Amino acid sequence: MSVVGIVPAGGSGERLGAERPKAFVVCAGRPLVEWSVEVLSVVCDRVIVAVPAGHTRPGWVEGGASRSASVRNALAAAPEARTVVVHDAARPLVTRELVESCLAALMGVDGVTAAAPVTDTIKQTFPDGTVERTLERSRLWAVQTPQVFRADALRRALDVDEAVLAGATDDASLVEAAGGTIRVVEAPPDNFKVTSRADLARAEALLC
């Protein structure tokens, strides 16, 4: 069974104050993307990175107009894939153990996503800001990556209009919308996303 890793790495890096794509911002002495590729390379048969135009390397592909469009471009370059592991370049502290846990949980479902249990109280509001209801947090999860899919289910989910891809916040939601079943696996606290300079400093301290 061919397991292909996909790293969508098209973020601009503006919130980091960087003059280069986020994936190429240096973190603990290496471009951010290299940390994720290193871990996925241990578990997957091959890894494809989707990057902005002008940043491709051998085995990498040019990304699309949105994150999920980039995943679709990468998946199109891997027709042999039977299982797909999608992981954000901006989560450099991913572990082999987490990826393997997600792969192991794929049995009987179409996809698995790493996630963190919600600890804050979450309120759903009307457009004017007034509270409609308070959600039961014991059943709420903050979705992360890696996300692991049966390749055929992901291909079907990504075969939609560009506007739908642009509106997707993660690939698991697209698989759900296509009728697929997703399972959650709890991620360790360090699997956070590097978005700000403070996040970058935190990641560097943990990786050094």
Side-chain angles (χ1 to χ4, degrees), residues 91 113-118 140-145 184-185 187:
R91 295 186 190 273
T113 182
V118 170
L140 298 178
W141 294 79
V143 170
Q144 303 177 357
T145 63
V184 167
V185 167

Side-chain angles (χ1 to χ4, degrees), residues 178-198:
T181 301
I182 302 295
R183 178 174 290 143
V184 167
V185 167
E186 185 169 354
D190 289 343
N191 192 45
F192 61 88
K193 188 174 184 179
V194 173
T195 301
S196 66
R197 296 298 300 184

